PDB file of all heavy atoms in Angstrom:
ATOM      1  N   GLN A 354      11.251-107.803-195.548  1.00 95.00           N
ATOM      2  CA  GLN A 354      12.015-108.909-194.980  1.00 95.00           C
ATOM      3  C   GLN A 354      11.040-109.856-194.276  1.00 95.00           C
ATOM      4  O   GLN A 354      10.758-109.741-193.092  1.00 95.00           O
ATOM      5  CB  GLN A 354      13.066-108.399-194.009  1.00 95.00           C
ATOM      6  CG  GLN A 354      13.953-109.488-193.416  1.00 95.00           C
ATOM      7  CD  GLN A 354      14.751-110.221-194.476  1.00 95.00           C
ATOM      8  OE1 GLN A 354      15.639-109.645-195.101  1.00 95.00           O
ATOM      9  NE2 GLN A 354      14.442-111.491-194.692  1.00 95.00           N
ATOM     10  N   ALA A 355      10.510-110.815-195.044  1.00 95.00           N
ATOM     11  CA  ALA A 355       9.512-111.735-194.511  1.00 95.00           C
ATOM     12  C   ALA A 355      10.155-112.752-193.570  1.00 95.00           C
ATOM     13  O   ALA A 355      11.313-113.149-193.741  1.00 95.00           O
ATOM     14  CB  ALA A 355       8.805-112.464-195.646  1.00 95.00           C
ATOM     15  N   THR A 356       9.402-113.167-192.558  1.00 96.00           N
ATOM     16  CA  THR A 356       9.816-114.237-191.653  1.00 96.00           C
ATOM     17  C   THR A 356       8.688-115.250-191.551  1.00 96.00           C
ATOM     18  O   THR A 356       7.499-114.891-191.627  1.00 96.00           O
ATOM     19  CB  THR A 356      10.152-113.716-190.252  1.00 96.00           C
ATOM     20  OG1 THR A 356       8.955-113.201-189.635  1.00 96.00           O
ATOM     21  CG2 THR A 356      11.198-112.618-190.309  1.00 96.00           C
ATOM     22  N   LEU A 357       9.053-116.522-191.371  1.00 96.00           N
ATOM     23  CA  LEU A 357       8.092-117.602-191.194  1.00 96.00           C
ATOM     24  C   LEU A 357       8.351-118.267-189.849  1.00 96.00           C
ATOM     25  O   LEU A 357       9.497-118.606-189.520  1.00 96.00           O
ATOM     26  CB  LEU A 357       8.220-118.652-192.299  1.00 96.00           C
ATOM     27  CG  LEU A 357       8.101-118.188-193.757  1.00 96.00           C
ATOM     28  CD1 LEU A 357       8.197-119.384-194.691  1.00 96.00           C
ATOM     29  CD2 LEU A 357       6.821-117.423-193.987  1.00 96.00           C
ATOM     30  N   MET A 358       7.287-118.434-189.063  1.00 96.00           N
ATOM     31  CA  MET A 358       7.377-119.165-187.798  1.00 96.00           C
ATOM     32  C   MET A 358       6.300-120.241-187.798  1.00 96.00           C
ATOM     33  O   MET A 358       5.147-119.983-188.142  1.00 96.00           O
ATOM     34  CB  MET A 358       7.192-118.242-186.600  1.00 96.00           C
ATOM     35  CG  MET A 358       7.379-118.942-185.250  1.00 96.00           C
ATOM     36  SD  MET A 358       7.129-117.835-183.842  1.00 96.00           S
ATOM     37  CE  MET A 358       5.338-117.666-183.875  1.00 96.00           C
ATOM     38  N   LEU A 359       6.694-121.455-187.391  1.00 96.00           N
ATOM     39  CA  LEU A 359       5.771-122.584-187.356  1.00 96.00           C
ATOM     40  C   LEU A 359       5.607-123.048-185.919  1.00 96.00           C
ATOM     41  O   LEU A 359       6.595-123.263-185.208  1.00 96.00           O
ATOM     42  CB  LEU A 359       6.307-123.723-188.233  1.00 96.00           C
ATOM     43  CG  LEU A 359       5.292-124.756-188.724  1.00 96.00           C
ATOM     44  CD1 LEU A 359       4.214-124.091-189.554  1.00 96.00           C
ATOM     45  CD2 LEU A 359       5.997-125.845-189.536  1.00 96.00           C
ATOM     46  N   SER A 360       4.334-123.180-185.513  1.00 95.00           N
ATOM     47  CA  SER A 360       4.008-123.658-184.158  1.00 95.00           C
ATOM     48  C   SER A 360       3.308-124.998-184.260  1.00 95.00           C
ATOM     49  O   SER A 360       2.484-125.221-185.167  1.00 95.00           O
ATOM     50  CB  SER A 360       3.109-122.655-183.429  1.00 95.00           C
ATOM     51  OG  SER A 360       3.727-121.385-183.362  1.00 95.00           O
ATOM     52  N   ASP A 361       3.628-125.916-183.307  1.00 93.00           N
ATOM     53  CA  ASP A 361       3.061-127.268-183.347  1.00 93.00           C
ATOM     54  C   ASP A 361       1.662-127.277-182.721  1.00 93.00           C
ATOM     55  O   ASP A 361       1.169-126.240-182.242  1.00 93.00           O
ATOM     56  CB  ASP A 361       3.998-128.244-182.648  1.00 93.00           C
ATOM     57  CG  ASP A 361       4.156-127.968-181.164  1.00 93.00           C
ATOM     58  OD1 ASP A 361       3.419-127.117-180.628  1.00 93.00           O
ATOM     59  OD2 ASP A 361       5.017-128.594-180.530  1.00 93.00           O
ATOM     60  N   PRO A 362       0.999-128.423-182.704  1.00 93.00           N
ATOM     61  CA  PRO A 362      -0.356-128.483-182.129  1.00 93.00           C
ATOM     62  C   PRO A 362      -0.441-128.040-180.679  1.00 93.00           C
ATOM     63  O   PRO A 362      -1.528-127.664-180.211  1.00 93.00           O
ATOM     64  CB  PRO A 362      -0.729-129.959-182.292  1.00 93.00           C
ATOM     65  CG  PRO A 362       0.071-130.434-183.472  1.00 93.00           C
ATOM     66  CD  PRO A 362       1.365-129.701-183.364  1.00 93.00           C
ATOM     67  N   ASP A 363       0.677-128.078-179.945  1.00 91.00           N
ATOM     68  CA  ASP A 363       0.675-127.632-178.548  1.00 91.00           C
ATOM     69  C   ASP A 363       0.966-126.147-178.404  1.00 91.00           C
ATOM     70  O   ASP A 363       1.064-125.640-177.281  1.00 91.00           O
ATOM     71  CB  ASP A 363       1.707-128.439-177.759  1.00 91.00           C
ATOM     72  CG  ASP A 363       1.397-129.937-177.771  1.00 91.00           C
ATOM     73  OD1 ASP A 363       0.193-130.283-177.745  1.00 91.00           O
ATOM     74  OD2 ASP A 363       2.354-130.731-177.832  1.00 91.00           O
ATOM     75  N   GLY A 364       1.153-125.450-179.518  1.00 91.00           N
ATOM     76  CA  GLY A 364       1.415-124.018-179.481  1.00 91.00           C
ATOM     77  C   GLY A 364       2.864-123.650-179.324  1.00 91.00           C
ATOM     78  O   GLY A 364       3.181-122.466-179.174  1.00 91.00           O
ATOM     79  N   ARG A 365       3.771-124.624-179.324  1.00 94.00           N
ATOM     80  CA  ARG A 365       5.198-124.338-179.181  1.00 94.00           C
ATOM     81  C   ARG A 365       5.823-124.027-180.535  1.00 94.00           C
ATOM     82  O   ARG A 365       5.493-124.666-181.538  1.00 94.00           O
ATOM     83  CB  ARG A 365       5.926-125.518-178.533  1.00 94.00           C
ATOM     84  CG  ARG A 365       5.529-125.805-177.094  1.00 94.00           C
ATOM     85  CD  ARG A 365       6.476-126.829-176.486  1.00 94.00           C
ATOM     86  NE  ARG A 365       6.390-128.083-177.202  1.00 94.00           N
ATOM     87  CZ  ARG A 365       5.599-129.101-176.840  1.00 94.00           C
ATOM     88  NH1 ARG A 365       4.819-128.995-175.774  1.00 94.00           N
ATOM     89  NH2 ARG A 365       5.578-130.221-177.536  1.00 94.00           N
ATOM     90  N   GLU A 366       6.742-123.074-180.532  1.00 94.00           N
ATOM     91  CA  GLU A 366       7.466-122.757-181.762  1.00 94.00           C
ATOM     92  C   GLU A 366       8.426-123.892-182.086  1.00 94.00           C
ATOM     93  O   GLU A 366       9.255-124.286-181.266  1.00 94.00           O
ATOM     94  CB  GLU A 366       8.244-121.451-181.602  1.00 94.00           C
ATOM     95  CG  GLU A 366       9.059-121.066-182.829  1.00 94.00           C
ATOM     96  CD  GLU A 366       9.918-119.836-182.613  1.00 94.00           C
ATOM     97  OE1 GLU A 366       9.474-118.936-181.863  1.00 94.00           O
ATOM     98  OE2 GLU A 366      11.029-119.779-183.180  1.00 94.00           O
ATOM     99  N   VAL A 367       8.317-124.421-183.316  1.00 95.00           N
ATOM    100  CA  VAL A 367       9.175-125.541-183.716  1.00 95.00           C
ATOM    101  C   VAL A 367      10.142-125.148-184.829  1.00 95.00           C
ATOM    102  O   VAL A 367      11.123-125.851-185.073  1.00 95.00           O
ATOM    103  CB  VAL A 367       8.330-126.748-184.165  1.00 95.00           C
ATOM    104  CG1 VAL A 367       7.568-127.332-182.992  1.00 95.00           C
ATOM    105  CG2 VAL A 367       7.366-126.367-185.286  1.00 95.00           C
ATOM    106  N   CYS A 368       9.881-124.034-185.496  1.00 95.00           N
ATOM    107  CA  CYS A 368      10.771-123.638-186.587  1.00 95.00           C
ATOM    108  C   CYS A 368      10.595-122.155-186.873  1.00 95.00           C
ATOM    109  O   CYS A 368       9.479-121.623-186.811  1.00 95.00           O
ATOM    110  CB  CYS A 368      10.466-124.457-187.854  1.00 95.00           C
ATOM    111  SG  CYS A 368      11.768-124.377-189.094  1.00 95.00           S
ATOM    112  N   PHE A 369      11.709-121.487-187.175  1.00 96.00           N
ATOM    113  CA  PHE A 369      11.681-120.072-187.530  1.00 96.00           C
ATOM    114  C   PHE A 369      12.768-119.821-188.570  1.00 96.00           C
ATOM    115  O   PHE A 369      13.907-120.266-188.415  1.00 96.00           O
ATOM    116  CB  PHE A 369      11.929-119.185-186.301  1.00 96.00           C
ATOM    117  CG  PHE A 369      12.025-117.717-186.630  1.00 96.00           C
ATOM    118  CD1 PHE A 369      10.883-116.944-186.673  1.00 96.00           C
ATOM    119  CD2 PHE A 369      13.248-117.118-186.907  1.00 96.00           C
ATOM    120  CE1 PHE A 369      10.956-115.585-186.985  1.00 96.00           C
ATOM    121  CE2 PHE A 369      13.334-115.774-187.222  1.00 96.00           C
ATOM    122  CZ  PHE A 369      12.175-115.008-187.254  1.00 96.00           C
ATOM    123  N   VAL A 370      12.405-119.113-189.660  1.00 96.00           N
ATOM    124  CA  VAL A 370      13.374-118.752-190.698  1.00 96.00           C
ATOM    125  C   VAL A 370      13.094-117.323-191.137  1.00 96.00           C
ATOM    126  O   VAL A 370      11.946-116.875-191.163  1.00 96.00           O
ATOM    127  CB  VAL A 370      13.314-119.702-191.920  1.00 96.00           C
ATOM    128  CG1 VAL A 370      13.831-121.079-191.576  1.00 96.00           C
ATOM    129  CG2 VAL A 370      11.893-119.791-192.469  1.00 96.00           C
ATOM    130  N   ASP A 371      14.168-116.604-191.470  1.00 94.00           N
ATOM    131  CA  ASP A 371      14.013-115.250-192.003  1.00 94.00           C
ATOM    132  C   ASP A 371      14.806-115.042-193.289  1.00 94.00           C
ATOM    133  O   ASP A 371      14.904-113.912-193.782  1.00 94.00           O
ATOM    134  CB  ASP A 371      14.409-114.200-190.973  1.00 94.00           C
ATOM    135  CG  ASP A 371      15.856-114.333-190.530  1.00 94.00           C
ATOM    136  OD1 ASP A 371      16.543-115.258-191.010  1.00 94.00           O
ATOM    137  OD2 ASP A 371      16.301-113.528-189.704  1.00 94.00           O
ATOM    138  N   ASP A 372      15.374-116.121-193.833  1.00 94.00           N
ATOM    139  CA  ASP A 372      16.060-116.033-195.120  1.00 94.00           C
ATOM    140  C   ASP A 372      16.331-117.454-195.599  1.00 94.00           C
ATOM    141  O   ASP A 372      15.981-118.438-194.934  1.00 94.00           O
ATOM    142  CB  ASP A 372      17.363-115.236-195.025  1.00 94.00           C
ATOM    143  CG  ASP A 372      18.333-115.811-194.000  1.00 94.00           C
ATOM    144  OD1 ASP A 372      18.162-116.984-193.585  1.00 94.00           O
ATOM    145  OD2 ASP A 372      19.265-115.102-193.591  1.00 94.00           O
ATOM    146  N   TYR A 373      16.970-117.559-196.759  1.00 94.00           N
ATOM    147  CA  TYR A 373      17.468-118.839-197.246  1.00 94.00           C
ATOM    148  C   TYR A 373      18.886-118.605-197.730  1.00 94.00           C
ATOM    149  O   TYR A 373      19.112-118.025-198.777  1.00 94.00           O
ATOM    150  CB  TYR A 373      16.589-119.398-198.363  1.00 94.00           C
ATOM    151  CG  TYR A 373      17.092-120.709-198.924  1.00 94.00           C
ATOM    152  CD1 TYR A 373      17.059-121.868-198.138  1.00 94.00           C
ATOM    153  CD2 TYR A 373      17.599-120.793-200.214  1.00 94.00           C
ATOM    154  CE1 TYR A 373      17.522-123.069-198.640  1.00 94.00           C
ATOM    155  CE2 TYR A 373      18.064-121.995-200.718  1.00 94.00           C
ATOM    156  CZ  TYR A 373      18.027-123.129-199.936  1.00 94.00           C
ATOM    157  OH  TYR A 373      18.492-124.332-200.422  1.00 94.00           O
ATOM    158  N   ARG A 374      19.840-119.003-196.868  1.00 92.00           N
ATOM    159  CA  ARG A 374      21.241-118.715-197.123  1.00 92.00           C
ATOM    160  C   ARG A 374      21.430-117.196-197.248  1.00 92.00           C
ATOM    161  O   ARG A 374      21.127-116.480-196.305  1.00 92.00           O
ATOM    162  CB  ARG A 374      21.718-119.482-198.367  1.00 92.00           C
ATOM    163  CG  ARG A 374      21.687-121.007-198.156  1.00 92.00           C
ATOM    164  CD  ARG A 374      21.953-121.784-199.407  1.00 92.00           C
ATOM    165  NE  ARG A 374      21.936-123.220-199.144  1.00 92.00           N
ATOM    166  CZ  ARG A 374      21.864-124.147-200.085  1.00 92.00           C
ATOM    167  NH1 ARG A 374      21.837-123.805-201.354  1.00 92.00           N
ATOM    168  NH2 ARG A 374      21.846-125.417-199.757  1.00 92.00           N
ATOM    169  N   PHE A 375      21.850-116.692-198.393  1.00 90.00           N
ATOM    170  CA  PHE A 375      22.034-115.246-198.519  1.00 90.00           C
ATOM    171  C   PHE A 375      20.851-114.581-199.220  1.00 90.00           C
ATOM    172  O   PHE A 375      20.872-113.378-199.475  1.00 90.00           O
ATOM    173  CB  PHE A 375      23.325-114.932-199.286  1.00 90.00           C
ATOM    174  CG  PHE A 375      23.332-115.444-200.708  1.00 90.00           C
ATOM    175  CD1 PHE A 375      22.926-114.634-201.746  1.00 90.00           C
ATOM    176  CD2 PHE A 375      23.738-116.729-200.993  1.00 90.00           C
ATOM    177  CE1 PHE A 375      22.928-115.092-203.051  1.00 90.00           C
ATOM    178  CE2 PHE A 375      23.744-117.205-202.297  1.00 90.00           C
ATOM    179  CZ  PHE A 375      23.342-116.380-203.332  1.00 90.00           C
TER     180      PHE A 375
END
Side-chain angles (χ1 to χ4, degrees):
Q354 183 62 67
T356 66
L357 304 182
M358 184 181 74
L359 201 60
S360 303
D361 65 8
D363 299 324
R365 294 190 298 266
E366 178 185 326
V367 293
C368 196
F369 175 88
V370 290
D371 60 359
D372 57 17
Y373 178 68
R374 295 172 179 165
F375 63 93

